[in-house]
Amino acid sequence: MKDLIGLSKDELAGELSLLGEKPFRAKQLWQWIYFKGETSFDNMTNLSKELRGKLQQHYYIGRPKIVTEQLSSDSTRKWLLEFADGERIETVYIPEEDRGAVCISTQVGCAVGCKFCHTGSQKITRNLTAGEIVSQFMTARDTYGEWPSPTNETRYLSNIVVMGMGEPLHNREQVFKALKIISDGDGIAISKRRITLSTSGIAPHIEAVASELGVKLAISLHAPTNEKRSLIMPINHRYPIEAVLTACQKYQAIMGMSRMITFEYLMLKDFNDTPEDAKQLISLMKQYNLGAKFNLIPFNPWPGCNFAPSSNNKVHAFSKLLESAGYEAPIRVARGQDILAACGQLKSKLS
Ligand code: SF4
């Protein structure tokens, strides 16, 4: 039995032609799966009984198993999901007033090993498949009953941030395939403007985020110099700040300067939170002439970590300096801290 979730439109058409069906059946099936969220072939009433029978014989429409589901006091929801081979990941929904973002994972564990990140302390086990990535969002929609795909204005699960467990550009092929399925207008239909791929800075693949996908880009920067960044992000030895920002220029050359790149900046006490750090950051952005905005993230401690959050005063002063240089620099409100669902806190295995 083969799972249909994660097949591209062409692959779905290929499977149907193996069953002797015409290509237009693939569009109908696609809509049942991704627009209506249907998981039972029996309910696909515009398909012949014979086809439904054949589908049932060879395929299924999968969802991961929900191992646990936790609801934070601020309504953030976190699922621990298990796939067929028993591997587990976490997915988080962060609601705002009339919309919200689903934060999806792309790998079991992560090989990047950022020192401030709980996921990074969990060794990489494997990449997720496109189907496993798409099905995280579909599981979230199941929970909130958002089927068939609502219009942009009325949907509650309106955005996707590829910021969960794993480095998405270490799993480029499957992540790109998944995001193409998720943004397809005949199905789940999340606009590319509402999808953000966040990377630790795998420079050689950043341009393709624009040329192949056209989604928004966020870079985990977290320090203004190579010296400091390498201390908390070992990947910086491989792809130093210059390489990452040059790749960002290429992204913006394709997407246009108005498509701002978000630079994530974790505020770590006595490490990267001084006015001097802010000034270095500003001169870096000017040097590369990037359409940039910052996202200042209060650090969410997790068991065993070696960092502490910057004080509120320091974070606000840092934000003001960036804003006075013309950059948006909102301070992210930490969400889901009580269920370890906040940024950098995800982990699916105990160590
Ligand atoms: S911050 Fe992202 S890239 Fe770094 S270790 Fe955590 S999951 Fe991996």
Side-chain angles (χ1 to χ4, degrees):
M1 297 281 271
K2 189 170 182 175
D3 191 357
L4 291 180
I5 301 291
L7 298 187
S8 68
K9 261 185 176 164
D10 286 347
E11 287 169 340
L12 197 58
E15 296 295 332
L16 284 171
S17 78
L18 289 177
L19 299 179
E21 295 291 330
K22 296 252 161 38
F24 76 93
R25 293 282 176 215
K27 190 165 181 185
Q28 289 177 316
L29 190 52
W30 182 273
Q31 285 175 337
W32 278 113
I33 296 172
Y34 292 118
F35 179 68
K36 298 194 172 153
E38 186 55 63
T39 53
S40 164
F41 295 118
D42 276 342
N43 295 334
M44 301 183 177
T45 44
N46 61 354
L47 304 182
S48 69
K49 212 170 167 196
E50 189 199 346
L51 173 56
R52 282 184 263 157
K54 282 194 273 186
L55 287 168
Q56 231 145 24
Q57 241 183 315
H58 300 285
Y59 305 100
Y60 64 97
I61 299 165
R63 292 286 195 272
K65 179 177 150 196
I66 299 175
V67 181
T68 58
E69 189 176 325
Q70 291 172 277
L71 189 60
S72 158
S73 54
D74 67 11
S75 296
T76 297
R77 191 180 291 266
K78 182 170 82 167
W79 298 266
L80 176 63
L81 302 178
E82 184 177 292
F83 299 111
D85 64 354
E87 290 297 346
R88 296 173 171 189
I89 53 92
E90 293 188 313
T91 304
V92 178
Y93 174 61
I94 309 127
E96 303 291 342
E97 222 164 80
D98 55 355
R99 62 197 178 95
V102 179
C103 177
I104 57 180
S105 295
T106 55
Q107 297 181 301
V108 182
C110 183
V112 176
C114 303
K115 303 280 190 243
F116 49 79
C117 173
H118 204 198
T119 307
S121 67
Q122 178 180 330
K123 295 262 173 296
I124 179 85
T125 306
R126 68 170 175 85
N127 285 333
L128 296 187
T129 63
E132 289 167 339
I133 296 166
V134 174
S135 66
Q136 293 172 58
F137 185 73
M138 298 181 83
T139 299
R141 266 206 178 162
D142 291 346
T143 302
Y144 287 87
E146 283 213 328
W147 301 111
S149 296
T151 60
N152 270 336
E153 292 70 38
T154 56
R155 62 178 58 153
Y156 201 46
L157 278 62
S158 57
N159 291 53
I160 290 185
V161 288
V162 187
M163 274 184 202
M165 297 169 59
E167 165 49 63
L169 296 183
H170 275 168
N171 185 17
R172 171 173 157 181
E173 194 185 318
Q174 296 300 310
V175 170
F176 280 25
K177 187 178 179 192
L179 294 183
K180 283 175 189 169
I181 293 171
I182 285 171
S183 59
D184 186 286
D186 292 330
I188 294 172
I190 299 288
S191 149
K192 289 178 177 179
R193 290 182 167 272
R194 292 178 180 270
I195 299 175
T196 302
L197 184 147
S198 175
T199 174
S200 60
I202 312 300
H205 299 301
I206 287 176
E207 188 179 356
V209 177
S211 61
E212 282 185 37
L213 274 182
V215 301
K216 287 161 81 176
L217 176 68
I219 302 284
S220 296
L221 192 60
H222 306 314
T225 63
N226 282 322
E227 199 187 355
K228 279 194 181 179
R229 193 167 187 260
S230 294
L231 287 175
I232 53 171
M233 299 182 72
I235 195 80
N236 195 67
H237 293 294
R238 183 120 191 239
Y239 305 117
I241 290 176
E242 299 75 39
V244 176
L245 297 188
T246 302
C248 286
Q249 286 177 322
K250 291 180 187 165
Y251 168 90
Q252 222 150 38
I254 296 169
M255 299 297 290
M257 285 293 275
S258 61
R259 187 66 78 89
M260 295 275 179
I261 297 171
T262 302
F263 287 91
E264 309 282 353
Y265 197 94
L266 200 55
M267 298 297 296
L268 299 171
K269 186 181 175 199
D270 299 333
F271 178 75
N272 63 0
D273 60 355
T274 65
E276 186 53 32
D277 291 310
K279 283 177 198 156
Q280 285 175 327
L281 214 45
I282 292 163
S283 69
L284 204 55
M285 291 301 133
K286 301 259 183 246
Q287 187 189 339
Y288 284 85
N289 192 28
L290 289 167
K293 60 180 181 184
F294 291 90
N295 198 1
L296 302 182
I297 310 169
F299 179 58
N300 302 305
W302 38 269
C305 69
N306 292 322
F307 295 97
S310 302
S311 69
N312 274 346
N313 283 349
K314 277 197 154 178
V315 178
H316 280 95
F318 202 92
S319 169
K320 278 218 168 91
L321 276 172
L322 294 175
E323 283 175 354
S324 63
Y327 296 101
E328 278 179 50
I331 300 161
R332 188 191 287 175
V333 180
R335 302 292 303 271
Q337 272 181 301
D338 53 336
I339 56 167
L340 286 184
C343 196
Q345 291 185 317
L346 302 188
K347 189 165 180 175
S348 59
K349 283 181 187 168
L350 297 173
S351 55

